[in-house]
Amino acid sequence: MILPSNIPVIVGVGEWIDRPSEPSHGLEPMDLMLRAAHAAENDARAALLSQVDSLDVVNISSWPYLDAPGHLAQCLDIRPRHTTYGEVGGQSPLAFLQGAAQRIANGQSQVALICGAEAQHTVTHALRQGVELPWTAPSSDVPVRLRGADIVHPLAVRLGCSQPLSVYPFYETASAAHWRQSPAVAQRESGELWSRYSQHAASNANAWLPEPRSATDIVTESPDNRMVAWPYTKLMVANPQINQGAAVLLTNLEHARSIGIPEQQLVYPWGGAQAQEPRDFLARDHYWESHAQNAVLTTCAQLAGGAFEAMELYSCFPCVPKMARRTLGLPEKFEPTVTGGLTFFGAPLSNYMTHAICAMVRRLRTSLSVSRGLLYGQGEFVTKHQGLVLARRPYPGHPKLAYSNVQQIADSHRSAVPGIEIEPLGNAQLEAFTLLYQHNGDLQHGVAIVRTPHNTRTLARVSPDDKWTLLALTDRDISPVGRTGVLRPTQQGYSEWSLVI
């Protein structure tokens, strides 16, 4: 028999959105977290904040605090035994929830708080207008975070592929070709999927862009929806220009009952899984799937008995939920979100999945047809993967939370990784590609991942003046992946790749 004191439950969730009339009136991330935390306490209908002994703060990118957990604890007038400040990554709120639930299950914590917030919209507008924000003095002593350029191969840095926007399209173009989709069919799937995300954002009071969009609106280029990285338009990528905060409160079942929290208010973490890909995306065996994603999602599906009535599939770029759909065996028309997605709900950088936890908790509480929900997030360049199962009832007959590191499973499916050549010469077959665009919509250049006949790999530039190759890369009817072109060294630390007329 499982003791109620060992069963973790989510008892309160809270969110806050800030749309200031001018930057100087905007709330800083610390204020957004405080308001979200109090909203979570109000949602729990119990004075729990003063009892918090475990505090996790999701990484904040928009404003540098020297000690964000310490500052938040001081503002809440609490002294938690456990405090953590998160690493960058969209999976991190799920890792925090998993850790907090585990501490409660182990008797190391009684009340846990997870918080996060971003105010990038206000910061960006303040910079543009030259406004000095009246916020907590920013710290210059914040430890330097790893940048994309610190993680990827130097060849990727030279060619402008050290940010997610320029890397995820490789998975998009490679997976569509692997699934034998024409580019037009793949783009149609992305547009229809993103339209469903927008429909959910339209019904979420905390969404930044709550206007529903059609699939045609999303995939069609326009002055307001320019191409950013082929084949993605602006409405197909994460939108970090938001001001949003979120908080989650957990305790154990015994304590929740002792302070009178109604049973219908309680949501139970069942467990989950985590795994990673190699951080350097050129050190992966191929680009039409993620072994770590597959292992995490398969494990979560097994934990839930094979089915979920609701889910949140991370949506920084369309390739992510499209790959997840196939791993989970879902039909093409399915509901991928309870929140609204990182384009339309908004992308508070590492903190989106905290909002997704809030949305899933509300769905489980209010919908009798939903008994189990899947939360899936990821970080970096299809790199860090985390899944979590929440439910309206405790896990049946399970003595402990079923948390799994499935790294060995992921690694067991990985095939040999080709070596990297810097400036090779000769024929090479296209594995994946993208085209990078400037802010005014002009093409900057293309980037191709290609394999040589002796099974090495390189990242090569496609010249913006190479009309023939660009015509093939942007063909809507036939995927160019698999075609052979020619590499020519440039003496600039990379080769150029082009198709032969």
Side-chain angles (χ1 to χ4, degrees):
M1 179 179 177
I2 309 171
L3 296 176
S5 59
N6 291 335
I7 299 177
V9 287
I10 299 172
V11 294
V13 293
E15 296 175 90
W16 203 270
I17 186 170
D18 180 37
R19 298 182 184 273
S21 57
E22 55 185 78
S24 60
H25 295 165
L27 298 174
E28 64 176 283
M30 192 61 58
D31 288 330
L32 289 167
M33 286 194 293
L34 284 167
R35 295 186 185 213
H38 284 291
E41 183 179 58
N42 292 337
D43 178 63
R45 306 172 196 173
L48 286 171
L49 287 179
S50 62
Q51 303 175 41
V52 167
D53 54 27
S54 170
L55 174 62
D56 295 311
V57 175
V58 178
N59 191 277
I60 301 168
S61 295
S62 55
W63 197 253
Y65 296 98
L66 180 59
D67 178 13
H71 191 169
L72 182 60
Q74 184 178 23
C75 292
L76 291 170
D77 194 22
I78 59 175
R79 292 170 179 79
R81 293 192 300 271
H82 167 93
T83 60
T84 303
Y85 184 58
E87 62 177 14
V88 175
Q91 85 296 340
S92 61
L94 301 184
F96 275 160
L97 182 59
Q98 173 177 313
Q102 192 68 62
R103 284 189 294 277
I104 290 171
N106 293 339
Q108 299 168 319
S109 170
Q110 185 172 67
V111 179
L113 173 65
I114 300 164
C115 270
E118 295 288 356
Q120 191 60 56
H121 183 270
T122 293
V123 170
T124 298
H125 281 262
L127 288 171
R128 288 175 181 171
Q129 298 175 25
V131 174
E132 185 174 346
L133 293 170
W135 294 357
T136 303
S139 174
S140 59
D141 297 325
V142 174
V144 176
R145 294 193 301 262
L146 283 177
R147 305 166 301 154
D150 301 316
I151 296 169
V152 302
H153 195 283
L155 189 56
V157 178
R158 290 184 203 118
L159 288 168
C161 293
S162 61
Q163 295 298 320
L165 180 62
S166 53
V167 175
Y168 280 78
F170 294 136
Y171 278 84
E172 179 70 37
T173 53
S175 61
H178 178 78
W179 300 327
R180 300 185 183 279
Q181 289 182 315
S182 70
V185 170
Q187 195 77 333
R188 187 181 311 123
E189 180 184 352
S190 295
E192 291 173 355
L193 179 63
W194 245 232
S195 180
R196 292 197 290 280
Y197 277 99
S198 80
Q199 299 294 331
H200 283 273
S203 61
N204 190 331
N206 298 293
W208 193 256
L209 298 176
E211 178 186 351
R213 303 292 185 118
S214 70
T216 301
D217 291 338
I218 290 163
V219 302
T220 302
E221 294 177 59
S222 69
D224 294 328
N225 189 36
R226 63 183 179 84
M227 187 67 68
V228 290
W230 184 272
Y232 294 149
T233 63
K234 187 177 179 181
L235 283 177
M236 298 170 76
V237 303
N239 169 29
Q241 298 296 322
I242 51 78
N243 302 324
Q244 294 167 318
V248 181
L249 276 167
L250 298 91
T251 187
N252 64 63
L253 181 58
E254 181 178 71
H255 189 54
R257 287 172 173 169
S258 72
I259 58 178
I261 298 178
E263 294 288 329
Q264 63 268 23
Q265 184 84 357
L266 309 179
V267 170
Y268 297 80
W270 274 13
Q274 60 185 356
Q276 294 191 17
E277 296 290 341
R279 296 188 86 174
D280 176 9
F281 69 89
L282 287 179
R284 299 174 189 173
D285 55 350
H286 55 249
Y287 300 96
W288 47 266
E289 67 177 341
S290 161
H291 303 298
Q293 182 192 61
N294 292 344
V296 165
L297 292 175
T298 300
T299 301
C300 287
Q302 292 169 349
L303 176 64
F308 307 98
E309 294 86 18
M311 64 186 67
E312 184 68 45
L313 299 182
Y314 204 68
S315 52
C316 49
F317 301 91
C319 62
V320 176
K322 287 164 70 172
M323 292 190 298
R325 173 176 84 80
R326 288 161 172 85
T327 300
L328 291 169
L330 300 171
E332 185 169 344
K333 293 189 176 179
F334 73 106
E335 294 305 322
T337 181
V338 291
T339 313
L342 281 84
T343 300
F344 307 104
F345 175 86
L349 299 166
S350 298
N351 198 46
Y352 174 82
M353 291 307 294
T354 314
H355 292 275
I357 294 167
C358 295
M360 184 64 75
V361 166
R362 295 188 187 107
R363 176 64 63 85
L364 288 164
R365 286 173 177 170
T366 59
S367 178
L368 294 178
S369 63
V370 178
S371 62
R372 294 158 297 184
L374 168 67
L375 295 167
Y376 164 68
Q378 70 168 240
E380 290 184 9
F381 309 100
V382 199
T383 307
K384 306 173 186 177
H385 302 260
Q386 189 102 19
L388 201 63
V389 180
L390 302 184
R392 281 195 288 116
R393 297 288 181 267
Y395 192 81
H398 204 293
K400 286 189 177 181
L401 295 169
Y403 291 136
S404 302
N405 184 323
V406 292
Q407 192 64 51
Q408 286 188 333
I409 298 174
D411 292 342
S412 70
H413 290 89
R414 209 176 310 281
S415 57
V417 176
I420 303 297
E421 287 195 73
I422 303 301
E423 291 184 87
L425 171 68
N427 291 342
Q429 187 179 49
L430 185 64
E431 269 194 279
F433 73 96
T434 188
L435 306 178
L436 306 180
Y437 293 82
Q438 301 176 32
H439 285 288
N440 64 3
D442 291 343
L443 175 64
Q444 184 173 328
H445 62 266
V447 185
I449 300 177
V450 296
R451 293 276 192 108
T452 68
H454 42 287
N455 200 32
T456 60
R457 172 184 283 160
T458 196
L459 196 65
R461 183 177 185 269
V462 176
S463 170
D465 299 321
D466 187 349
K467 305 302 181 185
W468 173 259
T469 301
L470 293 174
L471 189 64
L473 294 181
T474 56
D475 190 318
R476 300 283 183 172
D477 298 319
I478 302 173
S479 171
V481 172
R483 293 187 64 175
T484 298
V486 175
L487 288 166
R488 298 180 179 86
T490 65
Q491 307 305 314
Q492 297 175 3
Y494 54 80
S495 293
E496 284 197 344
W497 182 84
S498 63
L499 289 170
V500 179
I501 298 177

